Amino acid sequence: MYEDKTLICKDCGAEFVFTAGEQEFYAQNGFANEPKRCKACRDAKKNGGVKREMFIATCAECGGEAKIPFQPRDDRPVYCSECFAKRKAD
């Protein structure tokens, strides 16, 4: 039914494969247009092309290292990814 297609990225000019599975997903979800950008260019566009600055802090729960996308403040606790997920689940 669907076959892999090789497309050209409109941003970087690299070839990328629009797989049969992706084509089926597009069809099932009513997407009429094929992708115009490769995954790397799509990701860069989503992030605004700007790499987010990450800050290192100490997790208030386990004492481990936490990498966070904001400047930590002394009046608010910071949690590592694992402790944050545990707290959110509770």
Side-chain angles (χ1 to χ4, degrees):
M1 189 156 137
Y2 295 104
E3 291 184 21
D4 290 357
K5 289 183 184 179
T6 301
L7 303 175
I8 305 294
C9 178
K10 79 175 209 171
D11 288 350
C12 69
E15 289 185 353
F16 65 98
V17 177
F18 185 33
T19 67
E22 290 170 330
Q23 292 173 51
E24 186 175 355
F25 174 82
Y26 272 52
Q28 288 173 349
N29 289 290
F31 301 138
N33 300 321
E34 295 180 342
K36 302 213 180 302
R37 292 178 177 88
C38 65
K39 175 135 176 60
C41 289
R42 283 195 314 265
D43 290 345
K45 185 171 171 53
K46 279 183 196 174
N47 294 330
V50 177
K51 191 162 186 141
R52 185 186 293 193
E53 181 179 3
M54 297 299 278
F55 297 89
I56 305 296
T58 302
C59 176
E61 193 158 318
C62 71
E65 182 179 280
K67 292 184 181 179
I68 54 175
F70 57 89
Q71 179 72 45
R73 298 185 340 208
D74 291 333
D75 63 333
R76 306 279 315 243
V78 172
Y79 302 100
C80 67
S81 298
E82 292 172 8
C83 292
F84 182 80
K86 286 178 195 172
R87 293 178 65 82
K88 190 173 181 180
D90 290 339

